[in-house]
Amino acid sequence: MDINTENLAEQALEIVHSAGATTGQVRIAQHDNRTVALRDGQVENVATESSIGLSVRVIHLGAWGFAATTDLTSAGIKFAAQKAIEIAKISAAVSTDRVELLPEPQVGKVSWNLPFEIDPMQVTDEEVIELLKKWNSVVTKNAVVHHVDAHAAMGKDLTYFADLDGNRISQQRVRTSAQLTAVHIGENGFDDMRTCAPPAGRGFEYLLGTGWDWDSELAALPEYLDEKTKAPSVSAGNWDLVIDPTNLWLTIHESIGHATELDRALGYEANYAGSSFATIDKLNTFKYGSEIMNVTGDRMADFGLSTVGYDDEGVAAQEWDLIRNGVLVGYQTDRNIAKKIGLTRSNGCAYADSALHPPIQRMPNVSLQPGQQDLSTNDLISQVDRGIYIVGDKSWSIDMQRYNFQFTGQRFYEIKSGKIVGQLKDVVYQSKTPEFWASMKAIGGKQTYLLGGALNCGKGQPGQTAPVSHGCPTAVFENINVLNGKAEAGL
Amino acid sequence: MSNLTLSQAVDYAIELLSDSGGVVVGEVSNTANLRWANSSLTTNGNTVEQSLSVAAFLPINDPATAKNIGTAVGIASGQITDLASVANLVDKSRQSALAAGVAEDANDLPTGVAAKDFHDVPASVDLAELEHIAIGLNKVFENKHSEYFGYCEITIDTLYVATSAGMKTRFEQKTSRFELSAKSIDRKRSAWSGQSGTSLLSVDVHSHGVEVDQGLKFQENQIEIPAGKHKVTLSPSAVADLMIYLMWTASAREASEGRSVFSAPGGGTRIGEQLTTRDFNVVSDPEFPGLQTINQVVSLGSSSFTSTFDTGLPITKSELISKGKLSSLGSSRHAASLAKLPFTPLADNIIVTDTSGTGSLLDTAKRMQNGLLITCLWYIREVDSESLLLTGLTRDGVYVVENGEIIGAASNFRFNESPVGMLNRIVDAGQSIACLPREWADYFARAKVAPLTISDFNLSTKSDAI
């Protein structure tokens, strides 16, 4: 950052300290982002965005006060610090719930950087555009493709956190993603097929082939689309599903990731994102799924989108169990809510998507661990007599307490007697979280493990988005309700 | 931002762009909010965000002939502190334009004039608006038979928009939003009430409290209703969420390319097709009383709906569906020319009416005689693009209507429905009222919508969620 972050932060801390705040936290964050979009090989948009701001969060009279500004002058800092105190006073008059934070060991002055090879914000626009044009030309060689939408997004965050406890933490993270969708227009409608590459906590090297085989996926995409246009529509009913990590990560995100957020379990999101069926009384007893189900939360995974050195309350990154042998054993916490359920330390899930928003409890990397036996996806498919192998994510929806969900995907392969016989289409799978995870009868090994994820997980009011990763192997689920998307629409 | 005002920064950027043209938008967003849960305030904030966005145009010449072959556009946004930081953004946007090459949607900017109020300072939020809500909540929280959750926000956006074709306009837009949820202590019942507007001072917190308490009362009698196709009355909020998605999908370009629910079989669009025999209308109108919004195109970026080159063109009333017939589809000038349809920029509001609709939501539900009254829809996502099949959940109140009276409440359900396909199953409607779309309020809060009764609404499966 091209500003004197330390000086600005010290000014703000001095004001809130003088006003009597018991807790004072200052965050200065710079977010640089670039998006490039091509439509049918033509550049539709190329845009860069850089934002920088400062926020002051206090606990005063037992209540939160938060204010933020993009005016990084002494006057702007003074405005934000005084507003934070003023709002805490308004809140204190109506708050029955006094805010207290769990203590956290002081780390002092530290810095942490997510490793990468090529800074995605230093690459030129030309390089990104040329890459997407090359991809476009690869898929349009096949006449089945009539339209192509290609998109790349990359970003870099520089943050500085300072508090009245003496912490001064500087961090740097990057992320990179791209998607390409091929569209076929037929006589009786249209179909599309999208790449499955997930966004990653990597530099621009990711789009050049480090961590994902773009060349193979792009070369195969038109064939996948062609087969889909000719595929039979699925028969609704119960099917065994073999779910690829490119699809299962999203099911994990919705049915486990959000369900094990402690703020949801405590009701803090009840008006908006919702609450959770995984309430506190179920901790250490609730059977979430089958015994082969082990799920961890972490802020440390290599290339993870939620990976940090320290969270936005100064808590060092950790890894912990959420579900062990199918039983709920943990939550995601920040320093305020962890104290409410008697924990002795936050596991470091406070996050704000910009300096203009207050940190709230956000999702770490939540990952389903692979099986002890290193089974391949083909090994798993061979165990299924009548089923569907699902690849890639598409539509998703889940209810307010994370029970009833419905997902689709990019490709659906019919399995007969342990072998793939061809694509199906219009597949929609629907289940309830505990029933779905209880039906998981087999799980792939490390060789099938993949880190999926999203850049745009939404939560909170005012709304915040967060990038997050989810690792998982391929897994097999028995007797899952499959709907036909066209039949559901009455067609 | 030192002594440089945002409007001065916009002026300076336009001056720097004078040789090749462009569009500059300065934005100040001043917002204050309160959030509460479990009958206690939780988070809050007051933020002021300023940014400058520059869309630089650049003539592109054929390297062989040196003849002009078109115009490129690149966009850069960021915070500014001084004239040098403005110049830096202009440089960045030019670099992006150079990389982008000829813009497919390049067009002449409309000529404009400088408004007298262009240099007026940005409006700021008065924290008295939050205090008004906090005082109201104190009273609501006295009811210990329920727990209350919710959120309120007041935002004033001030935009300084200038183009190299002479336009210099200042827009000021206020948006307020209030939401109150109530849950029974055993968390087996839940109700919601919301209100959009331009000031939190107009919110009667007490009346919202009465409304959600009444909802919880209705829910004391839980009635088992199986999943399946039911006659339902959708609240204005629920209808708004479905019709907003329909509007977001109503793109002339996608339809004409054959990749939309509004594409006609064999080519062309479905414009002119009767979607329902009722006198049903979906309109976007920036001058609509109570829902006024920006009445000129302000675009930093290109899509099927909008183009940077259209900045400054007037937005007028657009009838997407008129008397039940698909009448127009949204577009930029470029998209309209590709689709061979009239240019149709859409405003940031939606008005949904059924001319024969009478009475309130409750009146409409009672006229249904037997069916379900659905308060809110949630987690709406597209399942099938060809039919525009959407899925989602009912939320915070599915009331059972029997013989024209509410007799209790059902569980929540997952629905699978198309907002286009369901139009020919509208059997009754009420009067349109201003409402807060539950799902899309973060992005779209200006709506005046009628409650609708729909036959055979597909409630696919039950949801145990409260």
Side-chain angles (χ1 to χ4, degrees), chain A residues 124-173:
Chain A
T124 65
D125 293 333
E126 284 92 341
E127 287 174 90
V128 183
I129 291 166
E130 282 310 307
L131 186 66
L132 292 183
K133 282 188 171 177
K134 189 180 95 179
W135 291 1
N136 182 83
S137 65
V138 169
V139 296
T140 51
K141 282 177 187 163
N142 189 320
V144 74
V145 177
H146 296 128
H147 294 285
V148 177
D149 298 321
H151 179 266
M154 49 210 75
K156 185 177 181 181
D157 305 330
L158 299 170
T159 60
Y160 179 76
F161 172 88
D163 63 14
L164 287 175
D165 297 333
N167 293 306
R168 304 289 184 268
I169 302 170
S170 301
Q171 300 193 79
Q172 175 180 280
R173 296 200 297 169

Side-chain angles (χ1 to χ4, degrees), chain B residues 430-451:
Chain B
Q431 283 190 325
S432 298
I433 59 165
C435 63
L436 181 70
R438 181 78 187 273
E439 169 85 18
W440 305 122
D442 285 349
Y443 323 102
F444 202 108
R446 294 168 209 283
K448 186 171 183 182
V449 177

Side-chain angles (χ1 to χ4, degrees), chain A residues 39 45 48 50 52 71 87 91 96 125 149 190 254 270-272 395-397 399 401 404 430 486, chain B residues 1 40 44 77-79 96 181 257 259 302 304 379 381-382 384 386 395 414 438 442 461 463 466:
Chain A
R39 182 173 180 140
N45 280 302
T48 56
S50 180
I52 185 166
D71 181 5
I87 289 185
S91 293
T96 54
D125 293 333
D149 298 321
F190 59 97
E254 300 293 355
N271 178 67
Y272 183 63
S395 175
W396 72 101
S397 175
D399 72 29
Q401 287 188 298
N404 177 311
Q430 195 182 74
K486 288 286 188 289
Chain B
M1 195 175 58
S40 181
N44 52 57
S77 305
Q79 268 102 45
S96 291
S181 297
E257 287 180 348
R259 50 196 290 200
S302 297
S304 297
Y379 222 130
R381 295 293 183 273
E382 189 174 311
D384 180 71
E386 281 185 333
R395 183 172 186 180
R414 169 170 297 287
R438 181 78 187 273
D442 285 349
T461 47
S463 158
I466 306 298

Side-chain angles (χ1 to χ4, degrees), chain A residues 466-487:
Chain A
V468 60
S469 290
H470 301 287
C472 58
T474 306
V476 183
F477 301 83
E478 275 185 310
N479 277 321
I480 302 299
N481 182 28
V482 168
L483 306 175
N484 180 299
K486 288 286 188 289

Side-chain angles (χ1 to χ4, degrees), chain B residues 19-21 56-62 67-73 94 97-98 101-102:
Chain B
D19 56 340
S20 55
F57 298 168
L58 211 58
I60 302 295
N61 295 334
D62 185 327
K67 285 186 179 173
N68 179 261
I69 54 171
T71 304
V73 59
R94 281 189 165 138
L98 195 59
V102 172

